[in-house]
Amino acid sequence: MELPGALQLGELAAAFASVPVFPLFDAAYFIVSVLYLKYEPAVEMSRKSPFASWLCAMLHCFGSYILADLLLGESPIHYFSNNSSVILATAVWYLIFFCPMNLFYKCVSFLPVKLIFVAMKEVVRVRKIAAGVHHAHHQYHHGWFIMMATGWVKGSGVALMSNFEQLLRGVWRPETNEILHMSFPTKASLYGTVLFTLQQTHWLPVSEANLIFFFTMFMIVCKVFMTATHSHASPFAPVEGFICPVFFGSVSSGHTSHHNQHGHSHEASYQPPPPVKSKEELNEGTRKRKAKKAE
């Protein structure tokens, strides 16, 4: 009974890995990506400068391909030769920003519908991670770090380019650097590209189709749950909270000591103002001064 079940699971994973992502899954990826741009203060910019808005939307849709091509020494505009994808992304951008009465935006942002698109986007994300690692492995057979870097930017290139995209909107917020404050998709893409690199170099005894299937299911469950509950808590937080203090030291202790030192210096330089005297105390002080002068 176990062998037929394993064969059926392997066939399911192989069939899932062979499902084409264009146009349905790519359309869902573009819709969710441009929705995130819509949530930013970019609506007014879309009216004043439609080209800048379109360019930001293209970065949201194809930023991962641009970064991956730069890492591998290829033309950063290579993917824009895919006319069908660019036209599809442009149509999604136009409908979300300029559809009459915001009908398209209201439909795709309706939570049950949005959850479907979020799940479909994660299918594309995992495929991009696997394709990035495979592409890098084809050029650099023993370049583990190149494979991981390429797969990582393929999965989270949009977030990694967020500061550059903000500049196109006239915003500069370096404190939102994705390297400093990794979101769940960025962390998941990093961990996923490590798994795909190990699989590609035959250190992980799992087929690529099975890894794509199981990691996609993990990403779908996590992202759909986080989107439905409007949660920003990372599923990796419990594991990171246990491992990071062991290997990298306790963050809270260093932060506390720094806070205390800063607090002491602040207290030393800051003297509280003297308490305000009441009317009776002022009258008493005046009488004492007059008595001292008389003496």
Side-chain angles (χ1 to χ4, degrees), residues 1-11:
M1 293 296 293
E2 294 181 359
L3 184 58
L7 291 176
Q8 292 178 0
L9 183 60
E11 293 174 358

Side-chain angles (χ1 to χ4, degrees), residues 231-262:
S231 172
H232 297 284
S234 173
F236 303 119
V239 179
E240 292 174 347
F242 176 76
I243 294 178
C244 290
V246 176
F247 290 97
F248 306 110
S250 177
V251 178
S252 59
S253 61
H255 178 73
T256 303
S257 62
H258 173 73
H259 176 74
N260 291 338
Q261 292 174 2
H262 178 74

